[in-house]
Amino acid sequence: MKHSILEMADYVESCSGFINGVAIVLGSGLGDFTEQLDNPSVIPYHAIPNYPQPTVEGHSGEFVIGNYNNIPIITAKGRFHYYEGHDIETVTLPIHLFQKLGVKYIIITNAAGSVRMSMPPGSLMAISGYADCTFRKNLMTPQIVSDVSSKLLVCVEKASKSEKVKLKKGIYCWSQGPGYETPAEVEYIRNLGGDAVGMSTVPELQAAEQLGIEAIGISTITNYAAGILDQPLTHNEVIETANRTKDDFAKLIGATIENIGELL
Ligand code: HPA
């Protein structure tokens, strides 16, 4: 391992006292959720020995640690994308760090594009399956993997009912980026059975699975993917919709954490 994860985990634990809680990775434009935490402490990534730095606008690069209804929470604001040139080891580093901190449950969030008219921008989608559509290893047809944590899926579904926040379920497809997809790529993803497309989350879900940590992904649908509508899409549109949806998102995540709290 080129990163000394134990050293990083020791540092985070010594600064915050965090151990054995729930971890949340906050995607683009979703970072405000940390305002819901009691007694927050902030650890900038640059303060952690050898921790890498993210570079994308809208991702600030810090852990915010606090309590939600007395449940210890660590949030990662800012993630490492494969398209930034980070290797998979770096992309999944936060998941490995969470494991060293005793985390058993992780919520991984992102902003994603919808490939279906039936899922408009502003929708929240629990990831019930995913596919690696990067073609970075081979050119074979991507397989849909559906073994996400059923326990956590139930926690999100219960949260959606109790908070009266509408929730869809669907297949998230990882496209490599950094540019948005072409309309032809979006059509390919739809024909494959995908519902949403984004540039993250799949490596993190795979790492959690390998480490035996229960993980669930939740997408905020910020736009129709390229070619669904007859207009270009922009990063601003993604950030604006994430902003517009953030109250529902916060309610859904909050109630999901409470439900996970019953499993701890
Ligand atoms: N494609 C890929 N990633 C995204 C999109 C999209 O349409 N929207 C937000 N993240």
Side-chain angles (χ1 to χ4, degrees):
M1 273 268 152
K2 95 182 160 209
H3 304 290
S4 168
I5 299 176
L6 259 184
E7 207 183 312
M8 297 173 185
D10 282 348
Y11 181 82
V12 171
E13 195 189 331
S14 69
C15 294
S16 63
F18 177 87
I19 191 87
N20 289 335
V22 176
I24 309 174
V25 177
L26 292 167
S28 319
L30 306 174
D32 287 0
F33 176 75
T34 54
E35 288 163 15
Q36 315 283 320
L37 299 178
D38 298 323
N39 302 321
S41 55
V42 175
I43 306 178
Y45 293 167
H46 64 74
I48 303 170
N50 297 317
Y51 207 76
Q53 285 296 300
T55 56
V56 186
E57 199 190 326
H59 293 256
S60 57
E62 61 195 25
F63 289 109
V64 183
I65 294 149
N67 288 321
Y68 189 90
N69 263 19
N70 295 322
I71 300 163
I73 306 290
I74 181 165
T75 61
K77 264 172 108 166
R79 55 149 59 95
F80 308 108
H81 294 90
Y82 189 71
Y83 67 72
E84 292 173 86
H86 296 296
D87 56 16
I88 293 292
E89 191 188 0
T90 305
V91 171
T92 60
L93 178 62
I95 308 299
H96 289 266
L97 180 70
F98 295 151
Q99 187 216 21
K100 293 282 183 281
L101 290 166
V103 166
K104 303 269 183 316
Y105 300 101
I106 307 182
I107 303 171
I108 303 177
T109 70
N110 59 50
S114 167
V115 308
R116 297 188 190 277
M117 283 305 282
S118 56
M119 189 158 62
S123 303
L124 295 170
M125 185 189 94
I127 298 177
S128 56
Y130 59 81
D132 176 348
C133 297
T134 61
F135 299 97
R136 70 202 163 88
K137 287 188 189 150
N138 57 53
L139 294 178
M140 276 154 47
T141 305
Q143 299 298 303
I144 293 176
V145 178
S146 299
D147 59 353
V148 301
S149 165
S150 50
K151 264 196 218 169
L152 293 192
L153 198 52
V154 169
C155 290
V156 184
E157 286 173 324
K158 260 175 68 184
S160 131
K161 290 207 180 83
S162 67
E163 297 307 302
K164 300 193 172 48
V165 170
K166 275 198 200 139
L167 179 72
K168 307 227 180 223
K169 278 195 286 184
I171 306 297
Y172 176 92
C173 293
W174 175 27
S175 77
Q176 184 155 312
Y180 291 119
E181 302 68 38
T182 63
E185 286 167 330
V186 170
E187 193 181 341
Y188 178 87
I189 285 170
R190 190 177 46 246
N191 290 336
L192 194 71
D195 298 293
V197 59
M199 304 175 198
S200 65
T201 302
V202 168
E204 290 118 301
L205 287 172
Q206 287 171 331
E209 159 83 29
Q210 278 158 15
L211 294 170
I213 305 176
E214 305 257 352
I216 186 81
I218 302 178
S219 297
T220 294
I221 303 298
T222 50
N223 57 283
Y224 282 117
I228 303 283
L229 298 180
D230 193 14
Q231 61 184 52
L233 74 95
T234 62
H235 187 58
N236 272 352
E237 181 186 352
V238 170
I239 297 297
E240 274 166 25
T241 317
N243 256 328
R244 172 158 68 76
T245 320
K246 70 181 182 202
D247 290 349
D248 276 354
F249 173 81
K251 278 195 217 161
L252 185 73
I253 299 291
T256 300
I257 294 169
E258 285 176 33
N259 295 335
I260 296 175
E262 290 169 18
L263 305 174
L264 288 174

